[in-house]
Amino acid sequence: MKKRLAFMGILCVLVMSTAAYAAGPLATAEVAVGKVLDVLRDPKFKGPEAKQAKTERLRVIYKDMFDEIEFSRRTLARNWNRFSPSERAEFVDLFEQVLEKAYLDKILDYSNEKIVFYQENMLSDKQAEILSKIVTSSKEIPIFYRMILKDGKWKVYDVVVENMSLVQNYRAQFNDILGTDNPPEQLLVILRKKVKEH
Amino acid sequence: MKKAGLILTLSVFLLVWVCPHAGANDGPHETAPGESAGWLADAGGRSSSEASNIGRQESLRQAAAAPAADPFSEDYVEEEDEVADLHAEEKVTIADPIEPFNRAMGAFNDRMYFWVLKPVALGYNEVVPEPARISAKNFFDNLGFPARFLSCLLQADFSGAGTEAGRFAINTLWGLGGLLDPAGSETLNLQKQDVDLGQTLGVYGVGHGFYIVWPVYGPSSPRDTLTNIGDQFLYPPSYIEPWYAWFGVWAYEKVNAASFRIGEYEAVKSAAIDPYVAIRDGYIQYRAKSVKARKEKSLLFRDAAGETRKE
């Protein structure tokens, strides 16, 4: 019993110290994107039949990189508070599927463009904006990651592509659909349909 | 020659006349953080604030009932978003009184893209290799110099104007009349300024008015429509005669530009829940950010822009 307690104690200390020693936001984002690129470049996953395997590997990485609940809450903004916890859970799940379907092909299209992380702006102790860009032969595409520190880990809650914030863009759409007093169900019906139609 | 002199005097006159006015009206306007709070209240709608309050209380009660560790039970709090958005002025919207017309035009443009522009651009992509397409883009970009140069001057961004003048001289003389972009190379690093007359008015505090979707041309507003006509007057290819030669050049430029962006519209459309609203918001966000970026470069507005950044 004592041994077990001691073991638990050591485990606790270890876990807590890794949390306190979390990497900075820029390093976190850069490492996560680096992992994504490793999967995309992996010669093992060539050809169309490897798409499924790649997708699964990528899913693990972005689940770790993104805080999808934070992302969902900010896109729904005031309307989030009108959703019940179960409606929220369904919304987060559906929204994630919509995003995955929309952006996965774009990510899988990657063909060795250079990605540069070049600046870290701390907005507060717990929030940061990381600036990066994709460099192609004809243009540069700026991509900013907005990150939040939660339980000792930096997670992405908004992506700003070419100066356009995803959170703000979806918020405009959801506000338009929900108005001020349309029931949450109305949006969920649209999302369910959108997930199915692909 | 007379014409050029007239334009120069006119622009100098505009510059002198507009500056003190803009300074007086826009200085405090830009630095007031209270503005955004006012907007927020407006957006929520006064009549609905009560209803949303009740909704919030309800969900709070539900949140209290749920286990504390459940992340779904955490409510949305307005303040946390203020920090996240960095600048309060980022929260931009646009009035859309002619939405049915705009949606119809959006649907028309959607068909034009899939039935005309995309197939043509894809075929063009097959035939013309990328370096040649980039050269064509450089050539048209170089001809856009007068409009960008004048806009930089009007915005009191003299370093931008200098960059543009340097680019035009270097790319015209050493870049085979603008086909190449030696000025934009890493050694010289004179980058094209993202600037137009619409932004110039925006810098001086002129708003969009409302949202319009034009057939073929796409998302715009009264402000950007008028200034785009001005930009066209400063764009040499606009003066090509006869009209069908002009149209050929215009169409070619559009196809060439589209050849770099195939797939982007499709991506926006498939990611959107309501593509019309997504594009409207994208347009307005993009314009607002570029006006803000221009303000930070302007000698007249740099301080005001810097102050809002610190807040």
Side-chain angles (χ1 to χ4, degrees):
Chain A
M1 194 64 211
K2 245 186 194 168
K3 239 186 188 169
R4 216 165 153 192
L5 263 178
F7 177 68
M8 291 298 269
I10 291 168
L11 206 75
C12 272
V13 170
L14 277 176
V15 168
M16 273 148 88
S17 60
T18 50
Y21 187 69
L26 189 138
T28 310
E30 202 169 6
V31 166
V33 171
K35 278 188 203 159
V36 170
L37 295 184
D38 285 343
V39 172
L40 295 174
R41 285 184 190 132
D42 199 329
K44 270 188 296 183
F45 298 128
K46 276 263 159 74
E49 69 283 355
K51 193 181 165 188
Q52 191 59 31
K54 264 191 193 176
T55 305
E56 258 143 49
R57 294 273 294 273
L58 290 175
R59 198 174 288 148
V60 176
I61 300 165
Y62 70 65
K63 287 243 183 197
D64 187 54
M65 182 185 180
F66 284 91
D67 186 338
E68 70 268 28
I69 297 176
E70 189 70 34
F71 186 75
S72 300
R73 181 166 53 220
R74 282 166 191 269
T75 41
L76 279 182
R78 221 168 287 158
N79 284 316
W80 173 264
N81 297 347
R82 300 202 284 126
F83 281 51
S84 74
S86 64
E87 283 168 335
R88 288 173 186 177
E90 191 189 353
F91 172 81
V92 171
D93 179 51
L94 288 170
F95 191 32
E96 211 179 334
Q97 289 184 58
V98 169
L99 289 173
E100 181 180 304
K101 281 186 171 135
Y103 292 103
L104 188 68
D105 285 335
K106 276 238 132 193
I107 293 167
L108 290 173
D109 267 352
Y110 171 82
S111 53
N112 261 325
E113 287 92 355
K114 207 166 79 183
I115 297 180
V116 191
F117 282 82
Y118 62 95
Q119 203 178 321
E120 171 180 292
N121 296 330
M122 295 300 290
L123 312 181
S124 71
D125 293 342
K126 286 186 158 189
Q127 278 178 310
E129 187 175 51
I130 307 304
L131 313 191
S132 78
K133 59 186 175 190
I134 300 177
V135 185
T136 74
S137 50
S138 60
K139 62 193 171 207
E140 285 189 358
I141 305 163
I143 297 191
F144 305 162
Y145 299 90
R146 293 190 176 156
M147 303 182 78
I148 189 163
L149 183 65
K150 269 193 181 169
D151 306 321
K153 201 166 180 329
W154 286 95
K155 292 223 172 189
V156 177
Y157 68 82
D158 189 9
V159 184
V160 183
V161 183
E162 278 190 281
N163 281 329
M164 201 186 77
S165 148
L166 278 188
V167 163
Q168 252 192 84
N169 195 263
Y170 280 107
R171 187 185 295 169
Q173 297 174 55
F174 295 154
N175 274 340
D176 198 70
I177 291 164
L178 286 169
T180 46
D181 43 28
N182 289 342
E185 185 62 21
Q186 196 159 329
L187 177 58
L188 292 174
V189 166
I190 294 173
L191 286 176
R192 279 183 213 127
K193 213 174 124 202
K194 176 103 188 156
V195 166
K196 263 198 202 138
E197 81 188 17
H198 280 276
Chain B
M1 211 52 236
K2 245 184 186 170
K3 235 182 188 170
L6 194 76
I7 290 175
L8 198 72
T9 4
L10 208 78
S11 54
V12 169
F13 169 76
L14 257 172
L15 196 69
V16 172
W17 179 72
V18 166
C19 295
H21 286 260
N25 292 334
D26 286 271
H29 173 85
E30 276 321 309
T31 45
E35 269 274 312
S36 64
W39 180 85
L40 272 175
D42 274 347
R46 273 174 204 101
S47 57
S48 69
S49 65
E50 256 174 72
S52 79
N53 259 344
I54 294 167
R56 186 174 301 186
Q57 277 165 5
E58 246 173 78
S59 58
L60 273 175
R61 228 175 293 136
Q62 280 162 346
D70 182 7
F72 294 109
S73 61
E74 210 178 307
D75 263 318
Y76 173 79
V77 188
E78 206 83 58
E79 290 81 46
E80 66 182 301
D81 209 56
E82 289 291 306
V83 189
D85 279 343
L86 251 180
H87 316 280
E89 59 186 307
E90 267 184 34
K91 297 194 173 195
V92 282
T93 51
I94 188 164
D96 193 359
I98 51 168
E99 188 174 329
F101 169 82
N102 286 341
R103 280 193 186 262
M105 286 306 118
F108 172 77
N109 289 341
D110 180 81
R111 301 236 164 105
M112 286 294 284
Y113 176 76
F114 283 109
W115 292 358
V116 183
L117 186 58
K118 190 183 175 186
V120 173
L122 278 175
Y124 173 72
N125 261 6
E126 288 291 313
V127 182
V128 184
E130 195 182 24
R133 288 186 283 125
I134 292 176
S135 285
K137 181 172 169 278
N138 286 339
F139 180 75
F140 286 115
D141 279 351
N142 197 45
L143 291 177
F145 157 75
R148 292 194 300 269
F149 181 70
L150 182 67
S151 286
C152 282
L153 283 184
L154 291 175
Q155 292 173 15
D157 169 18
F158 299 111
S159 78
T163 304
E164 275 298 330
R167 274 180 62 83
F168 183 67
I170 292 165
N171 287 347
T172 306
L173 293 173
W174 285 283
L176 301 177
L179 288 173
L180 305 176
D181 183 12
S185 65
E186 266 176 49
T187 37
L188 290 174
N189 197 23
L190 294 173
Q191 297 304 332
K192 190 179 97 178
Q193 305 293 301
D194 170 28
V195 63
D196 57 50
L197 289 174
Q199 285 170 11
T200 306
L201 284 188
V203 164
Y204 286 103
V206 178
H208 277 286
F210 55 93
Y211 187 59
I212 313 175
V213 181
W214 293 113
V216 183
Y217 181 71
S220 193
S221 67
R223 181 191 87 191
D224 285 356
T225 303
L226 279 174
T227 51
N228 185 52
I229 292 168
D231 281 324
Q232 289 308 312
F233 274 109
L234 294 162
Y235 189 52
S238 310
Y239 295 94
I240 294 173
E241 300 253 19
W243 69 269
Y244 47 84
W246 165 82
F247 180 75
V249 171
W250 176 85
Y252 173 71
E253 189 192 347
K254 291 283 172 247
V255 170
N256 189 64
S259 75
F260 297 103
R261 309 192 76 99
I262 293 170
E264 287 182 15
Y265 175 68
E266 291 87 328
V268 168
K269 212 180 142 186
S270 81
I273 312 301
D274 181 347
Y276 172 78
V277 178
I279 290 169
R280 184 179 68 195
D281 176 74
Y283 169 73
I284 202 73
Q285 269 199 56
Y286 184 77
R287 292 300 282 173
K289 296 260 168 65
S290 58
V291 165
K292 206 178 76 193
R294 294 308 304 170
K295 261 186 190 163
E296 277 164 21
K297 292 198 77 181
S298 162
L299 281 180
L300 296 168
F301 298 103
R302 197 153 51 189
D303 297 339
E307 266 169 48
T308 40
R309 200 173 354 154
K310 263 175 243 156
E311 273 164 7

